[in-house]
Amino acid sequence: MSQSPASAASVLRRTLDYIGVSTPARRIRRDPDRRGDYGITVAKLHGPEHEVGPLDAAENRRVLRIKLFGATGTILMLVGSLGTGQIPVLQNPVAGMRVLSLPSRMWSTALTLSIGGTIMLVVAWLLIGRFAVGRLSVEVLRGRSPARRMTRQQADRTLLLWIAPIIVAPPLLSKDIYSYLAQSAIAYRGMDPYTVSPLHGLGVGNVLTRSVPNLWRDTPAPYGPFFIWIGKGITAVTGDNITAAIFLHRLVALVGLALIVWALPRLARRCGVSPVAALWLGAMNPLVILHLVGGIHNEALMLGLMLVGIELCFRAIYGAQRLRTPGSWRPTGAGWLLLAGAAVIATSSLVKFTSVLALGFVGIALAQRWGACLPALRGAPIRQWWARSRTTVWALAASASLLGAVLAVVMVVICAGTGLGFGWTSTLSTGAVVRSWMSMPTLLSVSAGRVGVFLGLGDQTQAILDVVRPLGQFIAAVFVVRWMLATLAGRLHPLGALGVSMATVVVFFPFVQAWYLLWAVIPLAAWATRPWFRIATITVSAIIAIVVMPTSSNTSGVVLAQGLLAGVIMVAVMTALFFENWPRWRPRRRWSKHPTPEHTDTAA
């Protein structure tokens, strides 16, 4: 049954009222500046956290044990990765070595060490969270701040200790690094990596092509020119030496992680969130250690540059100094800081284009400084519309023009300066060949396709994907606009709205990998504090970190089950060794005829 025009208009008007763009006539007389209901639920993700003192001596001893437990796990992962890591097909650096090549000849043992080490790292991360966000049943579930937290220095040293063994490990859980190397070599040889694939540019027998997964051997590069330019420089230094190139790419990932560690606590403090809590949930997350550092993914550099750019922009926007000299177009110091931050965000989008979304929310923050607000855009009497919305329209236009100009200049400079051109704009959807179960549109499409095959209707999976994936992207765009409106109304902080938007993009993205979750988790770690967000993020991060195992296509179920069972047993044994006297981590005292109050309480 078709809807009548009147009912359709009623639905449209209620929708506009819901998002705060229009108001029914009966409400105009009451409150013409009513902001609508958008963003109310999402705004509840955030709550202020109080600064607390450092840990006491007993808690510091517990933290030390947890740190060593996690470091032991990453050492086991290092040993296991010599057999289960993504070692290159040619130029295996440990081949022929009597000791270091043992894990590759004892694959089941290496799998056990890798799984057990991963579980130990996750357990250590969960345990040390007690000293970052508090106890689950007391502080986290009730949205309270703990009585004491570990210091920023303790958090930094813990992260450094946990990633130290991973730095010298082979690539973990992914072979994307070999695509990076091949595409960089193509650019170094003067070819266009956005039109030439490793198979055609380097040849099937090339030492780099041999290690590229079959799925990516005949596809162009989907990454931005800034990242390919970095890889091109690495190729110029290392040539065809795969081991040296992997190490330098891991250093690039570590630079990205260092940028995250620098920016995340500052953004958290700006949002009224504990910097240590943000570091624990964001930078110390097992997905960061396993995938960004271990897997050497360029998301580390993308997120690091994006967060640094946001922090620089916020310093200028929320600072007291004017952005330009009165009576002149020349920027002040704060104005130059704003331009620099926008340029850094634009540069991050030339690693992976997703981070360009941050410029939209920075632009709204800038427009708000210039007087923009959503209530002025609401439906008032038509004769008053321009008078009510003039400031907002000009502020939004000026902000969009300024940041758009910065983005355009940075793109032209990098694309032309690196000689890689603008071909990357046509290869952004290259990853769509992957049918990832973590992508909701892809999962629904593949499931529907298999149902069709079961019913004898033929395999229509690709046709369904061609419809559902664009629909998912359209839905994501609608929600992102919604979060922008909520930010313009002042209900959401721009950083929190960016994190929620990134989460929306990940949910509806055509292809999703485990580390894509960090697009949303890391920005939200500096803003969202409420129990259900933190519990959900902790649960998903821990599960995904363990579920994504270092298996290959020919790993049998029996071998995987054996490795998992042995890994769990090993973790149980190591836990017993490390935490045998967990409840009694106080120095024992000799019996005294005059017991201290502490002894009296214990005896009672």
Side-chain angles (χ1 to χ4, degrees), residues 85-328:
Q86 306 302 323
I87 297 175
V89 174
L90 301 177
Q91 296 186 13
N92 185 342
V94 299
M97 295 185 180
R98 293 185 177 181
V99 177
L100 294 181
S101 63
L102 278 176
S104 62
R105 300 197 299 268
M106 304 168 62
W107 198 86
S108 297
T109 303
L111 181 63
T112 298
L113 294 175
S114 298
I115 293 176
T118 301
I119 296 175
M120 288 179 65
L121 175 63
V122 172
V123 171
W125 178 66
L126 295 174
L127 290 176
I128 210 167
R130 154 71 176 83
F131 306 103
V133 295
R135 293 163 292 182
L136 177 64
S137 60
V138 179
E139 286 90 11
V140 177
L141 283 177
R142 300 181 182 180
R144 298 176 179 174
S145 297
R148 292 175 297 277
R149 282 193 179 94
M150 59 181 175
T151 63
R152 168 69 192 280
Q153 290 74 19
Q154 286 178 307
D156 291 343
R157 292 169 184 170
T158 301
L159 178 60
L160 183 60
L161 181 65
W162 287 355
I163 67 173
I166 305 297
I167 294 175
V168 295
L172 305 179
L173 304 170
S174 173
K175 291 185 177 181
D176 282 3
I177 179 61
Y178 299 112
S179 296
Y180 300 168
L181 300 185
Q183 292 154 4
S184 301
I186 290 172
Y188 178 70
R189 296 185 181 189
M191 294 177 284
D192 185 2
Y194 302 115
T195 58
V196 179
S197 65
L199 185 63
H200 293 89
L202 303 178
V204 68
N206 183 269
V207 64
L208 299 176
T209 306
R210 292 286 298 276
S211 295
V212 177
N214 293 332
L215 184 64
W216 306 116
R217 285 188 180 182
D218 202 20
T219 57
Y223 311 113
F226 182 68
F227 180 71
I228 297 294
W229 175 74
I230 293 175
K232 180 180 175 182
I234 291 176
T235 302
V237 173
T238 61
D240 289 338
N241 189 322
I242 295 179
T243 303
I246 288 175
F247 181 74
L248 291 182
H249 269 279
R250 182 162 273 153
L251 288 183
V252 172
L254 290 174
V255 169
L257 179 59
L259 295 176
I260 293 173
V261 171
W262 180 87
L264 195 60
R266 289 167 171 80
L267 290 170
R269 191 176 292 109
R270 190 178 299 280
C271 296
V273 176
S274 165
V276 171
L279 275 176
W280 173 78
L281 191 56
M284 294 174 65
N285 194 300
L287 295 178
V288 172
I289 298 173
L290 292 172
H291 293 283
L292 298 194
V293 179
I296 322 178
H297 291 290
N298 54 15
E299 268 80 4
L301 184 61
M302 179 198 81
L303 290 169
L305 290 172
M306 182 187 77
L307 293 178
V308 169
I310 292 173
E311 168 60 18
L312 295 179
C313 289
F314 283 176
R315 284 190 183 186
I317 293 172
Y318 297 122
Q321 187 179 2
R322 297 176 62 95
L323 299 179
R324 65 182 181 88
T325 305
S328 173

Side-chain angles (χ1 to χ4, degrees), residues 389-452:
S389 58
R390 177 172 50 199
T391 301
T392 295
V393 170
W394 282 116
L396 288 173
S399 175
S401 299
L402 177 62
L403 297 182
V406 172
L407 177 63
V409 169
V410 170
M411 282 188 174
V412 170
V413 169
I414 292 181
C415 292
T418 60
L420 294 170
F422 296 88
W424 60 277
T425 58
S426 62
T427 63
L428 294 175
S429 61
T430 299
V433 298
V434 177
R435 295 183 178 181
S436 170
W437 62 269
M438 297 183 67
S439 166
M440 186 177 70
T442 301
L443 178 62
L444 294 177
S445 300
V446 172
S447 300
R450 291 184 178 178
V451 170

